[in-house]
Amino acid sequence: LRIVPLSDFHYDGSPELRAALPRLVDRAIDCGPDLVVVTGDLSADGRPGELDVVAAELERFGSVPRVVLPGNRDLVPSVGPPGEARPLPADSDLDYFLALEPALGFGFDDAGADPPAAIDADPETRFSSRFGRLDARHADPQIQLVAVNSTPRLRPAELERAARRLRRAPAGALRIFGLHHGLLPVPGRKLRDGDLANRAGDLLALLLELKVDLVLHGHVHRAHAWLVSDGHHETVVASAGALVNDGRRDASFNEIVVGGGRLEVRRRSVATGEPSVLFQTTRPG
């Protein structure tokens, strides 16, 4: 069983990302995934054109099941470089907003606007119309995956729904939980406000209680993996790499292989395709 988590494309139409995004998808297809999980920040600003390009690239996976989550940049206009973005305040310069989303959201569009323009006026609808539910899920005999939208905060009602689905997972299925924001500080990265999901410690405790095997997230732009235990159950938390980087690390994505009683998390370079093992563990049963 091979799962490919991708994250943080920040696609903005620049020449660099127009070349890098197809290369990332090529590398991921080469892995022969059984499931692709995209953990948010597909776009730089959530603009319809950015999301359309990413949606077209993800269609290249063909019949491979995909779970696509929104990130903060997909839903909330922001400023700042990748990894240091901050939400745009509501009283920001009107000219910036008009440049970001001309006419939409200000009541300036005329009554005869095409339906797609009306759909694209709302960030959540704009995303879900292209990629599906914000609380995405995937279920088959081998995998029970549930995900939640963590922007701007995790919502108790969504967590309750996710918990109910995980409790109904068939025996022997790999239980996976997905979100955009992190749950733990990543070594080598200064922790910034908003990096971690709200009440991350409580969420980890809940996921251990639910016997989740694997947590997938993005946002922090560092490929890393932890083994977390409460003495009764162990959960692997895997942070995805990013297509954008800080100039010191190359773009990357994760590959997770489950089989023969083992779970392995690999980081794959977008430039070379070469894997490096981040984590290996034996799965009970």
Side-chain angles (χ1 to χ4, degrees):
L1 181 65
R2 201 173 299 265
I3 303 164
V4 171
L6 313 174
S7 198
D8 292 87
F9 308 153
H10 291 232
Y11 184 82
D12 60 2
S14 64
E16 294 80 9
L17 289 180
R18 284 204 305 270
L21 182 59
R23 187 181 308 120
L24 168 73
V25 174
D26 287 342
R27 299 292 190 196
I29 290 172
D30 289 344
C31 293
D34 299 292
L35 175 67
V36 174
V37 182
V38 188
T39 52
D41 277 0
L42 285 65
S43 62
D45 294 300
R47 303 184 191 191
E50 296 170 350
L51 296 174
D52 286 340
V53 171
V54 175
E57 282 296 326
L58 295 181
E59 283 295 321
R60 294 174 52 212
F61 285 103
S63 61
V64 177
R66 296 186 297 279
V67 171
V68 184
L69 315 181
N72 51 287
R73 282 185 174 262
D74 301 316
L75 300 181
V76 181
S78 57
V79 293
E84 299 181 5
R86 58 188 184 277
L88 215 57
D91 58 354
S92 290
D93 184 68
L94 178 63
D95 289 339
Y96 178 86
F97 277 104
L98 290 176
L100 182 68
E101 291 289 352
L104 299 181
F106 291 89
F108 299 152
D109 48 324
D110 58 43
D114 293 334
I119 289 173
D120 285 342
D122 175 65
E124 291 194 359
T125 306
R126 182 188 311 154
F127 189 91
S128 62
S129 67
R130 292 164 171 83
F131 302 106
R133 299 175 60 106
L134 301 186
D135 58 339
R137 66 195 76 161
H138 173 80
D140 63 35
Q142 292 181 290
I143 296 173
Q144 182 79 20
L145 182 151
V146 299
V148 295
N149 171 27
S150 57
T151 300
R153 297 172 63 82
L154 291 170
R155 298 165 183 164
E158 288 189 16
L159 287 176
E160 289 171 10
R161 285 196 297 271
R164 287 196 297 270
R165 293 183 189 114
L166 287 167
R167 288 191 178 100
R168 295 197 298 264
L174 187 74
R175 299 183 182 199
I176 304 175
F177 183 83
L179 73 167
H180 176 62
H181 292 85
L183 295 181
L184 295 161
V186 179
R189 175 187 164 96
K190 180 181 178 181
L191 192 65
R192 302 182 175 96
D193 289 343
D195 275 356
L196 303 186
N198 58 303
R199 299 183 64 181
D202 291 340
L203 178 55
L204 277 171
L206 173 64
L207 297 176
L208 287 163
E209 177 192 332
L210 293 169
K211 301 188 184 307
V212 168
D213 300 293
L214 179 63
V215 179
L216 303 176
H217 73 82
H219 189 66
V220 293
H221 299 189
R222 300 287 188 277
H224 196 74
W226 304 257
L227 182 65
V228 182
S229 174
D230 63 357
H232 302 285
H233 184 74
E234 294 179 342
T235 297
V236 178
V237 179
S239 169
L243 189 58
V244 291
N245 61 65
D246 58 9
R248 293 176 296 169
R249 296 169 176 82
D250 66 344
S252 70
F253 64 96
N254 286 354
E255 176 188 25
I256 297 169
V257 181
V258 183
R262 298 188 69 81
L263 186 153
E264 182 174 286
V265 182
R266 304 169 182 168
R267 175 191 185 276
R268 281 195 177 267
S269 164
V270 173
T272 67
E274 290 300 312
S276 55
V277 176
L278 297 176
F279 188 84
Q280 286 182 335
T281 187
T282 301
R283 278 189 78 210

